[in-house]
Amino acid sequence: MSWKRVCSANDVAANSLKQFDVDGVPVLIANLGDEFRAYPPLCPHMEERLEESGICEGGLLTCSKHLWQWEMRTGEMRGEAEKPLLLYELKQENDDVLVNIEKELEYEYEEDSEEDDDGFWD
Amino acid sequence: MPARNHKQWMADPNLPQGEWVDSRIYSDPEIYEEELEKIFKKTWIPVCHESELSEPYDFRTTTIAHEPIVITRGPDNTVRAFLNVCPHRGMMIERRPSGSFLEGQPSGNPKRMTCMFHAWQFDMKGNCVYISREKEGYQDRICKEDTGLRRLRCEVAMGGFVWVCLDDKPESSLEEWAGKPFECIRESIDAEPLEVFHYHKAIINTNYKLWHDTNSEFYHDFMHYHNRVTGFNDEYFARKNIGFEHGHVNVTSFEVNYDEYEGFESREELSFPKFPPNQWFMIDLFPGMNFNLRGSALRCDIMTPLGPNKVMIEFRGLGVKSDSAKDRQTRIDHHNSIWGPFGRNLHEDLIGVTGQGATMKNSTEPRRILHGRHEDNYIHDEIGLRHYYDEWGKWMNRLPSDPMQEYKAPAVAAE
């Protein structure tokens, strides 16, 4: 277990997202109004920075690029989403927001095709 | 010679066919469009230098013959060219002149070319990798495998320039097309990776061939004060214009006396790899590119015709990628003091070709432009122009001296 302080509760406005660097690990903190959540910073679809592309409303997080959506509290898929959001364990101690980072959470993305195209014109 | 009346003025000059051209080849809109179709869509065109897209996911955009093109460097370091056109509804995919796909854009995603219209995405190999709401709209009738980009022939060669040919089956390989005229400087420009240190472009009201004509003859050194004072000597007049297959020409070198120009010094302390100092070679490629190696700096002009009487010329100055800061600065100084904003040669050339552009517009009376100087191919011989227009005539199947007639060989064969 490795609990790390990320920020103060008032660093992130209600219904918004903010990305922090925690000893080299990028963490996205969401303020739902009454609670906080912590996610990896990128959309599981196409590596978008959710801090920029994400919209928080009514407990739903929407990536504005291709309208993937998730329940902010649980990371469950809604709408167009095809992969759930991953969450870091989070707790609040007074004004401090802490997350438990065992290791950096990352999604697997579709890699560029490895197919050799040297013979394209042959 | 007395002044001439209309009939005398319009009469053919007393020179064999092939030694003058009709000015309509510089002004007729129909001929211009036909040149794009028959020449620019069929031949190898250099579009930029590989150092201008040095990192994976870097790109540049350009056009050849109205066709928008995007050049990318893949994560595998291969440089590829595609039509910059979305296969969905024909939208131009990338609108920036250059940049990187590594970072996402407001309507694009990292590592992808994204068409902002409907969010279709393509990787650096031109594969379609994303169609928004694919199954909902196309079920399985059309899928990503059917909607890749249109790839174009693209090679990096001759000092690291990026060459594109819009014809899938070009008449010649790039090597066969341009290898021979480049032989005189190939060892120097291919010894080490090069790097662009200067770029500017000019849009000029003239026909692209008039700029190329000026690059292809040195008789106009009477306009270049710098060339006269640093050059006019026996060695200068001993240089030859050499014609190559496919309409290319180069000019043999001589030792330039830079110290004869006020404020200049000899440039012998810095040259290109394997290149004797103060030497100067020039290569003119059909249909309109120029490579100019003056000892320490390489200049390249690439022309993009924009209309019968409008051309964009991109000027690049190049040094060696591994240059020390001091050598690089010396190369920049050498380049800019002749060809850059603090030199006079480019400006003088521009005065020449815009003056021609002003007299050769679509509605102006056609006239004869003389290309008939013979000096045993020495430097003030207009062989370069005759050689070019013979090639032009073949690609166009038009006679340069009477473009409404079909091509025939010049009365005196070009050497």
PDB file of all heavy atoms in Angstrom, chain B residues 344-363:
ATOM      1  N   ARG B 344      21.565  39.909 -52.886  1.00  0.00           N
ATOM      2  CA  ARG B 344      20.865  40.650 -53.920  1.00  0.00           C
ATOM      3  C   ARG B 344      20.430  39.762 -55.080  1.00  0.00           C
ATOM      4  O   ARG B 344      19.611  40.163 -55.897  1.00  0.00           O
ATOM      5  CB  ARG B 344      21.729  41.805 -54.412  1.00  0.00           C
ATOM      6  CG  ARG B 344      23.163  41.404 -54.769  1.00  0.00           C
ATOM      7  CD  ARG B 344      24.030  42.626 -55.028  1.00  0.00           C
ATOM      8  NE  ARG B 344      23.503  43.413 -56.114  1.00  0.00           N
ATOM      9  CZ  ARG B 344      23.787  44.703 -56.300  1.00  0.00           C
ATOM     10  NH1 ARG B 344      24.608  45.319 -55.478  1.00  0.00           N
ATOM     11  NH2 ARG B 344      23.280  45.352 -57.315  1.00  0.00           N
ATOM     12  N   ASN B 345      20.962  38.504 -55.127  1.00  0.00           N
ATOM     13  CA  ASN B 345      20.715  37.715 -56.329  1.00  0.00           C
ATOM     14  C   ASN B 345      19.253  37.338 -56.527  1.00  0.00           C
ATOM     15  O   ASN B 345      18.717  37.437 -57.622  1.00  0.00           O
ATOM     16  CB  ASN B 345      21.579  36.447 -56.323  1.00  0.00           C
ATOM     17  CG  ASN B 345      23.016  36.760 -56.720  1.00  0.00           C
ATOM     18  OD1 ASN B 345      23.514  37.851 -56.428  1.00  0.00           O
ATOM     19  ND2 ASN B 345      23.661  35.834 -57.387  1.00  0.00           N
ATOM     20  N   LEU B 346      18.605  36.879 -55.433  1.00  0.00           N
ATOM     21  CA  LEU B 346      17.201  36.475 -55.573  1.00  0.00           C
ATOM     22  C   LEU B 346      16.336  37.657 -56.001  1.00  0.00           C
ATOM     23  O   LEU B 346      15.467  37.530 -56.840  1.00  0.00           O
ATOM     24  CB  LEU B 346      16.663  35.932 -54.256  1.00  0.00           C
ATOM     25  CG  LEU B 346      16.880  34.471 -53.957  1.00  0.00           C
ATOM     26  CD1 LEU B 346      16.131  34.106 -52.689  1.00  0.00           C
ATOM     27  CD2 LEU B 346      16.382  33.604 -55.101  1.00  0.00           C
ATOM     28  N   HIS B 347      16.603  38.796 -55.401  1.00  0.00           N
ATOM     29  CA  HIS B 347      15.796  39.987 -55.701  1.00  0.00           C
ATOM     30  C   HIS B 347      15.965  40.366 -57.168  1.00  0.00           C
ATOM     31  O   HIS B 347      15.007  40.741 -57.843  1.00  0.00           O
ATOM     32  CB  HIS B 347      16.199  41.149 -54.813  1.00  0.00           C
ATOM     33  CG  HIS B 347      16.331  40.787 -53.360  1.00  0.00           C
ATOM     34  ND1 HIS B 347      17.239  39.875 -52.912  1.00  0.00           N
ATOM     35  CD2 HIS B 347      15.658  41.203 -52.281  1.00  0.00           C
ATOM     36  CE1 HIS B 347      17.112  39.750 -51.597  1.00  0.00           C
ATOM     37  NE2 HIS B 347      16.158  40.543 -51.206  1.00  0.00           N
ATOM     38  N   GLU B 348      17.193  40.270 -57.620  1.00  0.00           N
ATOM     39  CA  GLU B 348      17.437  40.616 -59.021  1.00  0.00           C
ATOM     40  C   GLU B 348      16.712  39.632 -59.950  1.00  0.00           C
ATOM     41  O   GLU B 348      16.084  40.031 -60.934  1.00  0.00           O
ATOM     42  CB  GLU B 348      18.945  40.638 -59.299  1.00  0.00           C
ATOM     43  CG  GLU B 348      19.628  41.832 -58.641  1.00  0.00           C
ATOM     44  CD  GLU B 348      21.144  41.694 -58.514  1.00  0.00           C
ATOM     45  OE1 GLU B 348      21.684  40.580 -58.698  1.00  0.00           O
ATOM     46  OE2 GLU B 348      21.786  42.706 -58.211  1.00  0.00           O
ATOM     47  N   ASP B 349      16.785  38.341 -59.600  1.00  0.00           N
ATOM     48  CA  ASP B 349      16.058  37.342 -60.410  1.00  0.00           C
ATOM     49  C   ASP B 349      14.553  37.627 -60.408  1.00  0.00           C
ATOM     50  O   ASP B 349      13.878  37.465 -61.422  1.00  0.00           O
ATOM     51  CB  ASP B 349      16.304  35.930 -59.865  1.00  0.00           C
ATOM     52  CG  ASP B 349      17.684  35.393 -60.235  1.00  0.00           C
ATOM     53  OD1 ASP B 349      18.243  35.858 -61.248  1.00  0.00           O
ATOM     54  OD2 ASP B 349      18.184  34.517 -59.515  1.00  0.00           O
ATOM     55  N   LEU B 350      14.047  38.041 -59.239  1.00  0.00           N
ATOM     56  CA  LEU B 350      12.613  38.315 -59.147  1.00  0.00           C
ATOM     57  C   LEU B 350      12.219  39.503 -60.025  1.00  0.00           C
ATOM     58  O   LEU B 350      11.150  39.503 -60.637  1.00  0.00           O
ATOM     59  CB  LEU B 350      12.206  38.578 -57.693  1.00  0.00           C
ATOM     60  CG  LEU B 350      12.254  37.354 -56.784  1.00  0.00           C
ATOM     61  CD1 LEU B 350      12.001  37.747 -55.338  1.00  0.00           C
ATOM     62  CD2 LEU B 350      11.234  36.306 -57.209  1.00  0.00           C
ATOM     63  N   ILE B 351      13.100  40.508 -60.084  1.00  0.00           N
ATOM     64  CA  ILE B 351      12.819  41.642 -60.965  1.00  0.00           C
ATOM     65  C   ILE B 351      12.706  41.144 -62.406  1.00  0.00           C
ATOM     66  O   ILE B 351      11.793  41.509 -63.153  1.00  0.00           O
ATOM     67  CB  ILE B 351      13.925  42.712 -60.841  1.00  0.00           C
ATOM     68  CG1 ILE B 351      13.880  43.358 -59.460  1.00  0.00           C
ATOM     69  CG2 ILE B 351      13.773  43.779 -61.928  1.00  0.00           C
ATOM     70  CD1 ILE B 351      15.087  44.244 -59.153  1.00  0.00           C
ATOM     71  N   GLY B 352      13.631  40.252 -62.771  1.00  0.00           N
ATOM     72  CA  GLY B 352      13.615  39.723 -64.138  1.00  0.00           C
ATOM     73  C   GLY B 352      12.323  38.983 -64.458  1.00  0.00           C
ATOM     74  O   GLY B 352      11.627  39.294 -65.425  1.00  0.00           O
ATOM     75  N   VAL B 353      11.968  38.012 -63.614  1.00  0.00           N
ATOM     76  CA  VAL B 353      10.829  37.159 -63.982  1.00  0.00           C
ATOM     77  C   VAL B 353       9.475  37.851 -63.778  1.00  0.00           C
ATOM     78  O   VAL B 353       8.525  37.535 -64.485  1.00  0.00           O
ATOM     79  CB  VAL B 353      10.839  35.803 -63.244  1.00  0.00           C
ATOM     80  CG1 VAL B 353      12.081  35.024 -63.601  1.00  0.00           C
ATOM     81  CG2 VAL B 353      10.714  35.974 -61.742  1.00  0.00           C
ATOM     82  N   THR B 354       9.408  38.799 -62.825  1.00  0.00           N
ATOM     83  CA  THR B 354       8.126  39.505 -62.713  1.00  0.00           C
ATOM     84  C   THR B 354       7.964  40.485 -63.870  1.00  0.00           C
ATOM     85  O   THR B 354       6.849  40.759 -64.310  1.00  0.00           O
ATOM     86  CB  THR B 354       7.982  40.263 -61.370  1.00  0.00           C
ATOM     87  OG1 THR B 354       9.138  41.077 -61.180  1.00  0.00           O
ATOM     88  CG2 THR B 354       7.839  39.304 -60.219  1.00  0.00           C
ATOM     89  N   GLY B 355       9.087  40.995 -64.375  1.00  0.00           N
ATOM     90  CA  GLY B 355       9.014  41.828 -65.578  1.00  0.00           C
ATOM     91  C   GLY B 355       8.496  41.028 -66.753  1.00  0.00           C
ATOM     92  O   GLY B 355       7.642  41.489 -67.526  1.00  0.00           O
ATOM     93  N   GLN B 356       8.956  39.791 -66.877  1.00  0.00           N
ATOM     94  CA  GLN B 356       8.430  38.930 -67.948  1.00  0.00           C
ATOM     95  C   GLN B 356       6.963  38.597 -67.709  1.00  0.00           C
ATOM     96  O   GLN B 356       6.154  38.615 -68.634  1.00  0.00           O
ATOM     97  CB  GLN B 356       9.244  37.630 -68.013  1.00  0.00           C
ATOM     98  CG  GLN B 356      10.665  37.809 -68.509  1.00  0.00           C
ATOM     99  CD  GLN B 356      11.434  36.500 -68.441  1.00  0.00           C
ATOM    100  OE1 GLN B 356      11.623  35.934 -67.366  1.00  0.00           O
ATOM    101  NE2 GLN B 356      11.861  36.007 -69.593  1.00  0.00           N
ATOM    102  N   GLY B 357       6.637  38.300 -66.426  1.00  0.00           N
ATOM    103  CA  GLY B 357       5.247  37.972 -66.095  1.00  0.00           C
ATOM    104  C   GLY B 357       4.301  39.117 -66.457  1.00  0.00           C
ATOM    105  O   GLY B 357       3.166  38.895 -66.894  1.00  0.00           O
ATOM    106  N   ALA B 358       4.803  40.354 -66.270  1.00  0.00           N
ATOM    107  CA  ALA B 358       3.963  41.518 -66.566  1.00  0.00           C
ATOM    108  C   ALA B 358       3.701  41.674 -68.062  1.00  0.00           C
ATOM    109  O   ALA B 358       2.675  42.232 -68.460  1.00  0.00           O
ATOM    110  CB  ALA B 358       4.628  42.783 -66.022  1.00  0.00           C
ATOM    111  N   THR B 359       4.614  41.176 -68.896  1.00  0.00           N
ATOM    112  CA  THR B 359       4.408  41.345 -70.341  1.00  0.00           C
ATOM    113  C   THR B 359       3.728  40.144 -70.976  1.00  0.00           C
ATOM    114  O   THR B 359       3.328  40.191 -72.125  1.00  0.00           O
ATOM    115  CB  THR B 359       5.737  41.575 -71.093  1.00  0.00           C
ATOM    116  OG1 THR B 359       6.442  40.326 -71.209  1.00  0.00           O
ATOM    117  CG2 THR B 359       6.603  42.612 -70.420  1.00  0.00           C
ATOM    118  N   MET B 360       3.636  39.023 -70.238  1.00  0.00           N
ATOM    119  CA  MET B 360       3.094  37.796 -70.844  1.00  0.00           C
ATOM    120  C   MET B 360       1.869  37.348 -70.092  1.00  0.00           C
ATOM    121  O   MET B 360       1.913  36.429 -69.284  1.00  0.00           O
ATOM    122  CB  MET B 360       4.156  36.690 -70.823  1.00  0.00           C
ATOM    123  CG  MET B 360       5.317  36.973 -71.735  1.00  0.00           C
ATOM    124  SD  MET B 360       6.455  35.591 -71.733  1.00  0.00           S
ATOM    125  CE  MET B 360       8.011  36.446 -71.556  1.00  0.00           C
ATOM    126  N   LYS B 361       0.783  38.043 -70.305  1.00  0.00           N
ATOM    127  CA  LYS B 361      -0.475  37.641 -69.692  1.00  0.00           C
ATOM    128  C   LYS B 361      -1.359  37.042 -70.770  1.00  0.00           C
ATOM    129  O   LYS B 361      -1.082  37.184 -71.949  1.00  0.00           O
ATOM    130  CB  LYS B 361      -1.128  38.840 -69.019  1.00  0.00           C
ATOM    131  CG  LYS B 361      -0.328  39.262 -67.792  1.00  0.00           C
ATOM    132  CD  LYS B 361      -0.940  40.417 -67.072  1.00  0.00           C
ATOM    133  CE  LYS B 361      -0.102  40.728 -65.833  1.00  0.00           C
ATOM    134  NZ  LYS B 361      -0.374  42.062 -65.319  1.00  0.00           N
ATOM    135  N   ASN B 362      -2.435  36.437 -70.310  1.00  0.00           N
ATOM    136  CA  ASN B 362      -3.254  35.658 -71.241  1.00  0.00           C
ATOM    137  C   ASN B 362      -3.703  36.454 -72.466  1.00  0.00           C
ATOM    138  O   ASN B 362      -3.708  35.941 -73.567  1.00  0.00           O
ATOM    139  CB  ASN B 362      -4.453  35.071 -70.496  1.00  0.00           C
ATOM    140  CG  ASN B 362      -5.217  34.097 -71.355  1.00  0.00           C
ATOM    141  OD1 ASN B 362      -4.633  33.469 -72.242  1.00  0.00           O
ATOM    142  ND2 ASN B 362      -6.499  33.987 -71.123  1.00  0.00           N
ATOM    143  N   SER B 363      -4.066  37.712 -72.247  1.00  0.00           N
ATOM    144  CA  SER B 363      -4.636  38.440 -73.375  1.00  0.00           C
ATOM    145  C   SER B 363      -3.577  39.165 -74.213  1.00  0.00           C
ATOM    146  O   SER B 363      -3.900  39.767 -75.226  1.00  0.00           O
ATOM    147  CB  SER B 363      -5.657  39.454 -72.849  1.00  0.00           C
ATOM    148  OG  SER B 363      -5.035  40.283 -71.895  1.00  0.00           O
TER     149      SER B 363
END
